[in-house]
Amino acid sequence: MLDEILERELSSEEQQNIPLSEIEKTINSLMKIRFRYSDDLHKKEIKTYEEIADSIFEIRLSKYLENGTKGKGFDEFLFTLLDKMKDFFISLSTGNLIISNGRILCKIVKNIEIEKIQLSKGDLVFLDPLKALSLWTAEYITLCKIVDKVITNESSQDD
């Protein structure tokens, strides 16, 4: 269960591989408890597991931040997302994004509707940072960046 995963994480400097098959056993057990019971005892049990899961996340995150390596397993996608967030933060805070009035210039790479406006591949749009990060992560847009004083697009192969 989660306590065993927590123990393995605590006993190693590297992130441990947590296969989805291993975590699914815990997920299924806890889902059954959540659906079947609503008494205080079971709520406390769920709360305890949530605290253990929080600890596992914090430990894995700190290992990722300290040594930059990502573990393999069911949560690998989180570290891919963190890499993108880190890149976004660095680009934003070092003036590598084109910004106007607090909004970031982005190029649409997949047709999408934003705020009731239909946008097509190739369109340019200014988005607030949260929306830009979300859509960039979901691969609907690319961020327009400034590189060597020339305005370029993050991924030229998308042109």
Side-chain angles (χ1 to χ4, degrees):
M1 300 270 297
L2 290 178
D3 55 331
E4 295 166 348
I5 293 170
L6 177 59
E7 187 176 321
R8 283 199 323 260
E9 281 297 330
L10 287 170
S11 66
S12 173
E13 289 185 26
E14 298 296 319
Q15 285 187 10
Q16 299 300 295
N17 182 12
I18 306 172
L20 181 58
S21 59
E22 181 180 353
I23 200 82
E24 279 180 331
K25 296 172 189 172
T26 302
I27 292 169
N28 291 333
S29 297
L30 295 176
M31 282 177 59
K32 288 176 186 175
I33 292 170
R34 287 179 187 271
F35 285 127
R36 289 187 186 159
Y37 306 102
S38 61
D39 59 279
D40 286 341
L41 178 64
H42 287 95
K43 286 180 184 178
K44 288 178 183 176
E45 180 181 14
I46 293 294
K47 182 71 176 160
T48 300
Y49 281 109
E50 288 173 346
E51 290 170 359
I52 293 170
D54 181 63
S55 295
I56 293 169
F57 175 75
E58 288 179 358
I59 291 167
R60 290 175 71 78
L61 179 60
S62 67
K63 289 178 180 181
Y64 164 79
L65 293 173
E66 286 175 14
N67 60 22
T69 58
K70 297 184 268 187
K72 300 286 183 198
F74 85 100
D75 61 348
E76 186 175 351
F77 70 95
L78 291 173
F79 300 101
T80 300
L81 179 60
L82 288 170
D83 283 341
K84 288 198 92 151
M85 290 171 62
K86 179 180 171 182
D87 182 46
F88 184 88
F89 177 84
I90 291 168
S91 293
L92 179 64
S93 61
T94 61
N96 197 26
L97 298 178
I98 300 169
I99 299 176
S100 178
N101 295 322
R103 297 168 73 84
I104 300 167
L105 183 62
C106 305
K107 183 176 181 182
I108 304 298
V109 294
K110 293 180 186 174
N111 295 346
I112 187 171
E113 183 177 311
I114 301 174
E115 298 173 8
K116 299 182 182 178
I117 299 171
Q118 201 64 33
L119 298 166
S120 301
K121 182 177 179 177
D123 289 348
L124 296 174
V125 62
F126 280 97
L127 299 172
D128 67 79
L130 179 59
K131 192 165 286 177
L133 176 61
S134 301
L135 293 173
W136 178 58
T137 301
E139 299 179 353
Y140 279 91
I141 64 165
T142 57
L143 305 170
C144 295
K145 294 184 175 184
I146 302 170
V147 180
D148 298 327
K149 298 182 184 178
V150 176
I151 299 173
T152 63
N153 198 297
E154 175 200 80
S155 63
S156 300
Q157 70 260 14
D158 291 337
D159 294 338

